[in-house]
Amino acid sequence: PQSSRTLATFPTRANVLASMSNRRRLLLLFPLSAGLLLVAGLLAFAPFVRFKARQAASRYGLDLDIQSVRPSLAGATLREVRISCAAIPALKARFDRVQVSLSGRVEASGGQLDLEGPHTALMDQIRAWRSSRTPGSGAGEGSSRRVLALRETSLSWKGFHGAASELKADALTMEDVTSGERVAAGAIEARTDAFEVKSKDVRVGWVKGDSPAIRSLEASSVAALVRLPAPPTADPAEAPDASKEPPAVEEVRDSKKATKAKVRGGAAATSASAAAPPAPVAESAAQPSLRDRLASMALATSTRTTPDAKVDVAAFEVRVERGKDKATLGPGRLAVEWKDRSLVVDLSPGSKGASAGGITFKATVPVGAGAAHVDVHGGPIQLSALGIREGDLGVRHPERASLRVDLEVELREDGRWVGFDGNVKANDVSVYHAKLAESAVEGLAVAARVKGAARLDGKELQLEDSEFDVGSLRFMVSGQLARDERNRYRVDARFGVPLVPCQDAIDSLPATLVPLVHGMRAAGTLSLTGRLRFDPEKPSDYQFDYRGAADCRFTSVPAEVDVARLRGTFKRTAYGPDGKKVELETGPGSAGWVPFGGISQYMEAAVMTTEDGRFRIHHGFDHEAIRNSMKENLLRGAFVRGASTISMQLAKNLYLDRNKTVSRKLQELVLTMYLEQALTKEQILELYLNVVELGPMVYGIGQASWHYFKCSPTELTPGQAMVLSSMLPNPKISRFGAGGRVHDGWMKYVWKLVQIAGKRGWITEEDVERAMGEWVVMGAPPVKVEREGVGIEPGGEQDRAN
């Protein structure tokens, strides 16, 4: 029985098999159920995340579009997320990837932030959006703090400062957009019509508060391009019809107080119109001064920065363009900080500081009252190390030139004046400018010691005991120069050149500036002292006095300058009707050459009347004409009258071209001194009358006499000689009309010249009487005319017009 009970309680085989089958079914059912739950969860995950994301975004007035959602170990990953805000239409955002963690951190990476429109409009939109997100609106209520981070995001902002402006940033990174204190960018670029800025590795730090303030700004490099308005270009004046109207006859006095005429090209004008200054230019609306703009900038900076804020740029470079002129400064370390309520900007281009041979620029701009200061010290340093490039401001080979500067500049509190005091010295400078010379001038050694002040609008300059040196040649000046609204100048200045050996003065000028003069050897010394005073409101008080002590004697000259080559045939450069250079053979023995004795005496009287009334008594320079031309140019506010003598014109015709450059003028002065020493007055006149231009491809008195009057130079009448000399200012224009007769107005002008020559005693009364009864005709002898009705006595309508 016992064994029977035991056997009865032991499971049967069938029971065991049934139990095992149930367990298997349960084991199979669990993973299936879990899988079904997981699939259901996955299917619901993306819609749930989208719903929660849009719900959160709606609390901030944002519209969200998510392309795809994927779960991650710590939350969810959103792909291709686009964000917009109806309250901020200027902002659009797209992120490649947004990682959302269970802890509430949201990290957006890649993608693009797009802004559009003026920064003021964007700020207004943001302020309006913030005011709509007031407490109680549901934004963030009942939730833990969210953290939004940006990683490697790009930014594009079009029109932030004008229609053509644009701001770009790459690799923007920020740990906390809403509460963070630092942002970094791999590169930032800004562009407007007036400037461009490119920077790399930018890091900005700030402090939080009601008005966040920047505490630091760092960058590995910043390159700025500033475009200044190009200088105004005056409209070219209409060319006068000199073929029908004579030039004005300007009466001046010589050393004997007698009158003479200086003929200048251009249309005739009444005395009233000739003296009338240009019409005043309307004043522009008042603009804040430069000092006020700098102070406003400093004040604005102070409100957006902390008192201990600092800017540190490892390599800062600024390039300025104004028309065709360009200049670059840097790269160098830039540091900006606050000291005693002043913004201090320190730039050291080319080196770590002046102690290492570099130059430092230090600017101090006060927030409130007070002057702004700029101190520039250091050197010598190569111009290339400062950032000056080939071609900047006409500079050539900047790597050769060195510069040393010790200069203090003060932008005065009134904002109208800038004061300066210091020294500048440059060696081995090469520069090109069309007004300086035809080619680059190399090897300049220049220095300046300047002290004074200037108005920022360019209307006044004051100098106090300033010096300008070119090699051993020193020019000293002190005084003031001012310009009024009608472009007239007021000047009161003293000037001088201290005693210097003539040879040192010549050697101070680079050979590339004065190639013909550089090989000349001279003994003696020269010096100059003088004063110039002129007020357009008081022209009668004009004073231009100078004393020159120049006893330079030329002991040897280069072969191409030596007058010995002029004793036989020689070649010289002339100009054809198209302005192109042509080479002519001239000189004694050449075709068309006329010796001095074969030229009518009336020709000398004529050129002295129209060109150089003191030719026989000066030594190459007409000081009275120089004084008068200076007065006229100052009165008109432009260069309208020169003071070239026959000797100076001969120097130009024999040796120099027509380009109006400093090089030509300097060589002209030296060569004129040489010609006056090496030749007699008769020899100078003979050369002058044989090489001067008297019409298109008509050179010399021999060719001109036959071309115009079919006669030899010795047969010229007083009237014919005066007609030829009246052509000298503008020989390209014909003075002859129908039938070959000289134009009426021009003939009356010629008669006026004849009378002046008679008053000066250069021709006899009989010659005057004869010329007044003749009308000059091309290709034939003069025609006899009655004086009545054709004279130049005042009163006639035509005479008043002339």
Side-chain angles (χ1 to χ4, degrees), residues 289-291 411 415-418 454-460:
S289 67
L290 175 60
R291 190 265 169 210
L411 182 57
R416 298 172 55 201
W417 287 85
V418 58
R455 279 184 51 150
L456 289 174
D457 58 8
K459 290 185 176 180
E460 189 167 351

Side-chain angles (χ1 to χ4, degrees), residues 380-383 397-404 424-430 442-447 471:
I381 185 175
Q382 292 177 335
L383 294 184
H397 310 298
E399 72 282 356
R400 300 179 188 172
S402 63
L403 177 69
R404 180 173 182 83
V424 180
K425 185 176 183 180
N427 288 315
D428 202 10
V429 177
S430 299
E442 300 183 353
L444 275 171
V446 295

Side-chain angles (χ1 to χ4, degrees), residues 14 72 97 101 109 114 140 144 211 317-318 333-334 351 399 406 428 523 532 586 598 610 614 642 671-672 695 741 791:
S72 63
R97 180 174 178 272
S101 67
S109 59
D114 290 314
S144 60
S211 297
E317 176 182 287
V318 59
R333 180 167 291 278
L334 173 69
S351 75
E399 72 282 356
D406 289 290
D428 202 10
L532 173 61
T586 186
T610 62
R614 296 178 182 83
L671 291 170
T672 298
R741 292 166 59 98

Side-chain angles (χ1 to χ4, degrees), residues 108-139:
S109 59
Q112 178 88 20
L113 297 175
D114 290 314
L115 302 173
E116 189 169 359
H119 66 281
T120 52
L122 178 63
M123 293 300 105
D124 291 341
Q125 293 176 19
I126 291 176
R127 280 191 289 267
W129 172 79
R130 282 179 175 171
S131 64
S132 67
R133 302 293 103 197
T134 56
S137 64

Side-chain angles (χ1 to χ4, degrees), residues 91-423:
L91 171 64
K92 304 291 182 184
R94 178 189 61 79
F95 298 105
D96 298 336
R97 180 174 178 272
V98 177
Q99 184 68 41
V100 182
S101 67
L102 297 177
S103 63
R105 179 180 177 82
V106 179
E107 184 176 300
S109 59
Q112 178 88 20
L113 297 175
D114 290 314
L115 302 173
E116 189 169 359
H119 66 281
T120 52
L122 178 63
M123 293 300 105
D124 291 341
Q125 293 176 19
I126 291 176
R127 280 191 289 267
W129 172 79
R130 282 179 175 171
S131 64
S132 67
R133 302 293 103 197
T134 56
S137 64
E141 290 181 1
S143 65
S144 60
R145 177 179 175 272
R146 304 289 183 182
V147 177
L148 172 60
L150 288 182
R151 291 270 190 260
E152 300 294 325
T153 303
S154 298
L155 179 142
S156 175
W157 188 351
K158 295 182 179 180
F160 76 97
H161 190 73
S165 63
E166 186 174 7
L167 176 67
K168 293 182 178 180
D170 293 330
L172 277 175
T173 299
M174 188 173 181
E175 294 301 325
D176 191 342
V177 172
T178 57
S179 302
E181 297 182 353
R182 290 189 69 83
V183 64
I188 297 178
E189 297 183 12
R191 175 176 54 83
T192 71
D193 290 333
F195 67 86
E196 293 182 16
V197 177
K198 296 181 179 180
S199 54
K200 294 181 178 180
D201 301 326
V202 182
R203 298 170 297 280
V204 180
W206 65 85
V207 295
K208 296 180 293 185
D210 294 337
S211 297
I214 295 176
R215 69 166 182 269
S216 65
L217 190 154
E218 301 173 1
S220 62
S221 67
V222 173
L225 170 62
V226 180
R227 299 185 184 91
L228 299 179
T233 302
D235 294 333
E238 293 185 3
D241 186 0
S243 64
K244 296 186 179 179
E245 294 294 340
V249 180
E250 302 164 356
E251 294 291 333
V252 297
R253 297 187 178 277
D254 66 1
S255 57
K256 297 180 180 180
K257 305 302 180 182
T259 62
K260 74 160 190 141
K262 294 287 287 179
V263 181
R264 297 293 175 257
T270 63
S271 58
S273 63
V281 179
E283 291 281 348
S284 58
Q287 298 291 332
S289 67
L290 175 60
R291 190 265 169 210
D292 291 340
R293 291 198 298 269
L294 291 176
S296 298
M297 180 189 70
L299 179 61
T301 303
S302 68
T303 61
R304 293 173 173 82
T305 58
T306 61
D308 59 347
K310 292 185 177 181
V311 174
D312 187 3
V313 179
F316 178 80
E317 176 182 287
V318 59
R319 184 169 177 81
V320 180
E321 296 181 355
R322 185 173 187 261
K324 295 182 179 180
D325 294 328
K326 301 176 182 179
T328 305
L329 181 63
R333 180 167 291 278
L334 173 69
V336 182
E337 60 182 338
W338 287 102
K339 287 184 179 179
D340 302 326
R341 287 190 54 78
S342 293
L343 187 65
V344 180
V345 182
D346 198 335
L347 174 63
S348 302
S351 75
K352 296 181 180 179
S355 61
I359 290 182
T360 60
F361 296 78
K362 188 173 183 179
T364 305
V365 183
V367 173
H373 294 268
V374 179
D375 296 333
V376 187
H377 297 285
I381 185 175
Q382 292 177 335
L383 294 184
S384 58
L386 288 174
I388 301 297
R389 304 175 186 174
E390 181 77 16
D392 285 358
L393 300 176
V395 173
R396 299 289 190 267
H397 310 298
E399 72 282 356
R400 300 179 188 172
S402 63
L403 177 69
R404 180 173 182 83
V405 182
D406 289 290
L407 183 65
E408 297 179 0
V409 180
E410 179 187 60
L411 182 57
R412 296 176 180 172
E413 189 171 359
D414 61 10
R416 298 172 55 201
W417 287 85
V418 58
F420 47 85
D421 187 1
N423 301 279

Side-chain angles (χ1 to χ4, degrees), residues 527-657:
S527 64
L528 177 71
T529 58
R531 181 177 185 181
L532 173 61
R533 183 174 63 185
F534 176 77
D535 188 339
E537 301 297 334
K538 303 176 182 178
S540 60
D541 293 341
Y542 170 70
Q543 177 184 358
F544 185 29
D545 298 323
Y546 58 88
R547 294 180 180 178
D551 61 347
C552 299
R553 300 175 305 280
F554 296 96
T555 57
S556 67
V557 295
E560 63 268 25
V561 175
D562 198 336
V563 295
R565 77 180 184 90
L566 307 178
R567 298 191 182 114
T569 58
F570 60 91
K571 293 183 178 180
R572 58 178 291 265
T573 300
Y575 293 85
D578 56 359
K580 293 183 179 180
K581 294 181 180 180
V582 294
E583 195 174 67
L584 300 179
E585 185 176 72
T586 186
S590 64
W593 185 269
V594 183
F596 184 72
I599 303 174
S600 168
Q601 62 175 342
Y602 300 130
M603 206 59 226
E604 177 178 348
V607 295
M608 289 180 63
T609 302
T610 62
E611 297 299 304
D612 188 357
R614 296 178 182 83
F615 170 71
R616 286 287 183 175
I617 60 176
H618 66 58
H619 298 288
F621 307 100
D622 188 343
H623 300 292
E624 187 66 23
I626 293 174
R627 293 184 178 93
N628 291 328
S629 66
M630 177 68 75
K631 180 178 181 180
E632 182 70 14
N633 295 334
L634 287 170
L635 187 63
R636 299 290 293 274
F639 186 81
V640 295
R641 178 178 174 183
S644 290
T645 61
I646 287 175
S647 302
M648 295 171 71
Q649 292 180 47
L650 178 61
K652 287 185 289 186
N653 282 307
L654 288 177
Y655 302 111
L656 305 170
D657 56 33

Side-chain angles (χ1 to χ4, degrees), residues 780-795:
V783 176
K784 298 290 184 179
V785 295
E786 296 293 334
R787 290 190 58 186
E788 184 178 357
V790 297
I792 60 169
E793 289 77 8

